[in-house]
């Protein structure tokens, strides 16, 4: 008889967990969430592979590389919304670079240094990394279509307590910020990010300057220009002053973007926790998988693989 599994949360952590588990036919999987795509934080993610705010957690090395491999394989499917894209990470001359621990997370052979003669006058060095770009507006519906062929059930329900799910053999908690209330976990906090959407130019690479801060992600539907890093802000709203600053930073580096029409803006709340929680809660049938911050997509399928191993151990 199949094990009945409840996955709480329909963001990338919940969906990647459901994907890995549904590859086997021994589980009956139900995904429960208050909201589904496109009304979730994962839809608003820039969603390119990059180890963001995870570099001091060495578990993230394996998680990141597993996710990189997964997205790379899926990029072969034109319907997936995943493509391999060059990411340029710059270090300006007025910045003291931290030890580049993040390079430990990068698969071998996909990162090179940009030649000095190609650097802007204010840039000390730049890394060129080939990374998966995940276009969430395509990829999340793509996953949901796959689930329809695997008999994964979606149920719109806000779970306020684990005791609501006594009919399930195993519960997997992928609630992101919701874990603050569901698990009474005050270690998880929101970090608000605000972005501007511009008319796109897919010939551009992904661009990151963490110190300005500035990132540019050219998707097919729009160019995401960010951003902000606002700890402890619970309102997912944009502010005119922040948006103006974001555009000013972008125009200073790429003046040609002034010709691109502004399509809109949005804000999202990253579910940050000092340490990502991926563990089986002792004495219960609950497995936790939350607190990925701004690295949700980067860690997703790696963490999901660990969760699948924990499920087998409970079995």
């Amino acid at each position: 008889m199949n094990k009945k599994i409840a996955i709480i949360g329909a963001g990338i952590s919940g969906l990647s967990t459901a994907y890995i588990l549904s590859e086997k036919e021994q589980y009956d999987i139900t995904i429960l969430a208050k909201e589904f795509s496109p009304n979730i934080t994962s839809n608003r993610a820039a969603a390119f592979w990059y180890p963001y705010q995870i570099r001091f957690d060495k578990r993230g090395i394996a998680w990141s590389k597993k996710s990189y491999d997964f997205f790379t394989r899926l990029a072969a499917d034109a319907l997936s919304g995943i493509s391999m894209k060059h990411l340029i990470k710059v270090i300006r001359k007025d910045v003291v670079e931290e030890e580049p621990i993040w390079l430990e997370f990068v698969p071998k052979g996909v990162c090179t240094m940009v030649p000095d003669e190609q650097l802007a006058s204010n840039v000390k060095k730049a890394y060129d990394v080939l990374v998966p770009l995940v276009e969430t507006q395509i990829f999340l519906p793509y996953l949901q279509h796959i689930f329809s062929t695997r008999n994964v059930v979606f149920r719109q329900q806000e779970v306020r307590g684990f005791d609501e799910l006594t009919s399930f053999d195993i519960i997997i908690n992928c609630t992101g910020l919701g874990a603050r209330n569901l698990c009474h976990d005050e270690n998880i906090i929101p970090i608000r990010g605000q972005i501007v959407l511009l008319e796109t130019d897919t010939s551009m690479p992904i661009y990151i300057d963490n110190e300005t801060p500035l990132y540019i992600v050219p998707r097919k539907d729009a160019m995401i220009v960010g951003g902000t890093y606002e700890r402890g802000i619970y309102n997912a709203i944009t502010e005119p002053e922040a948006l103006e600053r974001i555009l000013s930073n972008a125009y200073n580096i790429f003046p040609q973007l002034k010709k691109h029409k502004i399509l809109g803006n949005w804000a999202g709340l990253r579910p940050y926790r000092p340490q990502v929680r991926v563990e089986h809660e002792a004495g219960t049938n609950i497995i936790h998988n939350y607190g990925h911050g701004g690295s949700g997509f980067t860690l997703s399928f790696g963490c999901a693989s660990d969760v699948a191993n924990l499920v087998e151990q409970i079995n």
Side-chain angles (χ1 to χ4, degrees), residues 148-309:
S148 69
T149 69
R150 297 181 178 181
N151 296 317
V152 174
V153 176
F154 286 78
R155 182 193 301 173
Q156 190 159 13
Q157 175 183 337
E158 182 178 5
V159 178
R160 299 180 183 277
F162 295 115
D163 57 357
E164 298 174 20
L165 305 177
T166 54
S167 63
F168 291 93
D169 301 303
I170 297 173
I171 300 169
I172 303 174
N173 171 27
C174 301
T175 52
L177 280 175
R180 187 175 175 88
N181 292 325
L182 185 61
C183 306
H184 310 291
D185 185 349
E186 295 184 359
N187 287 318
I188 188 164
I189 62 169
I191 295 180
R192 184 171 68 180
Q194 302 182 51
I195 63 97
V196 178
L197 298 170
L198 293 182
E199 187 177 31
T200 197
D201 176 2
T202 55
S203 68
M204 289 185 63
I206 299 169
Y207 181 89
I208 302 179
D209 175 354
N210 285 335
E211 284 71 34
T212 296
L214 173 65
Y215 64 85
I216 298 175
V217 186
R219 305 197 321 186
K220 292 183 179 70
D221 60 340
M223 187 179 302
I224 297 176
V225 184
T228 63
Y229 181 87
E230 303 166 85
R231 294 175 64 94
I233 304 297
Y234 284 83
N235 295 321
I237 59 174
T238 56
E239 299 171 340
E241 298 83 2
L243 301 178
E244 289 174 13
R245 186 171 63 252
I246 289 168
L247 284 174
S248 176
N249 290 338
Y251 294 158
N252 285 339
I253 305 299
F254 299 102
Q256 71 271 25
L257 293 182
K258 294 179 182 179
K259 299 178 182 178
H260 290 241
K261 181 181 177 182
I262 297 174
L263 301 179
N265 57 72
W266 69 42
L269 305 180
R270 306 176 183 101
Y272 174 75
R273 193 173 187 270
Q275 188 174 57
V276 178
R277 190 178 186 190
V278 178
E279 64 179 10
H280 172 217
E281 184 174 332
T284 74
N285 65 339
I286 301 168
I287 297 171
H288 298 285
N289 180 22
Y290 67 85
H292 304 82
S295 284
F297 280 81
T298 303
L299 302 176
S300 56
F301 285 90
C303 290
S305 294
D306 276 14
V307 169
N309 291 334

Side-chain angles (χ1 to χ4, degrees), residues 48-240:
F48 57 92
W49 185 99
Y50 182 76
Y52 183 66
Q53 291 185 323
I54 188 65
R55 63 198 191 109
F56 294 113
D57 187 342
K58 296 300 183 182
R59 298 175 302 165
I61 295 175
W63 291 338
S64 298
K65 290 182 178 179
K66 283 183 180 178
S67 295
Y68 188 104
D69 289 344
F70 177 86
F71 288 128
T72 301
R73 291 194 303 272
L74 218 55
D77 185 346
L79 299 177
S80 69
I82 300 171
S83 59
M84 301 306 293
K85 191 86 172 170
H86 285 274
L87 178 154
I88 306 298
K89 174 180 169 59
V90 303
I91 308 296
R92 290 183 284 104
K93 288 181 178 177
D94 60 346
V95 170
V96 177
E97 183 183 15
E98 296 180 342
E99 185 181 354
I101 299 173
W102 64 275
L103 289 173
E104 297 178 40
F105 294 71
V106 177
K108 187 176 180 179
V110 302
C111 180
T112 59
M113 300 303 299
V114 176
D116 290 346
E117 60 269 20
Q118 296 180 19
L119 300 177
S121 59
N122 66 335
V123 173
K124 177 169 52 181
K125 63 161 58 168
Y127 301 88
D128 183 341
V129 192
L130 186 64
V131 303
L133 169 61
V134 184
E135 304 217 27
T136 57
Q137 79 283 9
I138 301 172
F139 179 64
L140 296 180
Y142 170 84
L143 280 185
Q144 290 177 333
H145 173 71
I146 291 175
F147 292 142
S148 69
T149 69
R150 297 181 178 181
N151 296 317
V152 174
V153 176
F154 286 78
R155 182 193 301 173
Q156 190 159 13
Q157 175 183 337
E158 182 178 5
V159 178
R160 299 180 183 277
F162 295 115
D163 57 357
E164 298 174 20
L165 305 177
T166 54
S167 63
F168 291 93
D169 301 303
I170 297 173
I171 300 169
I172 303 174
N173 171 27
C174 301
T175 52
L177 280 175
R180 187 175 175 88
N181 292 325
L182 185 61
C183 306
H184 310 291
D185 185 349
E186 295 184 359
N187 287 318
I188 188 164
I189 62 169
I191 295 180
R192 184 171 68 180
Q194 302 182 51
I195 63 97
V196 178
L197 298 170
L198 293 182
E199 187 177 31
T200 197
D201 176 2
T202 55
S203 68
M204 289 185 63
I206 299 169
Y207 181 89
I208 302 179
D209 175 354
N210 285 335
E211 284 71 34
T212 296
L214 173 65
Y215 64 85
I216 298 175
V217 186
R219 305 197 321 186
K220 292 183 179 70
D221 60 340
M223 187 179 302
I224 297 176
V225 184
T228 63
Y229 181 87
E230 303 166 85
R231 294 175 64 94
I233 304 297
Y234 284 83
N235 295 321
I237 59 174
T238 56
E239 299 171 340

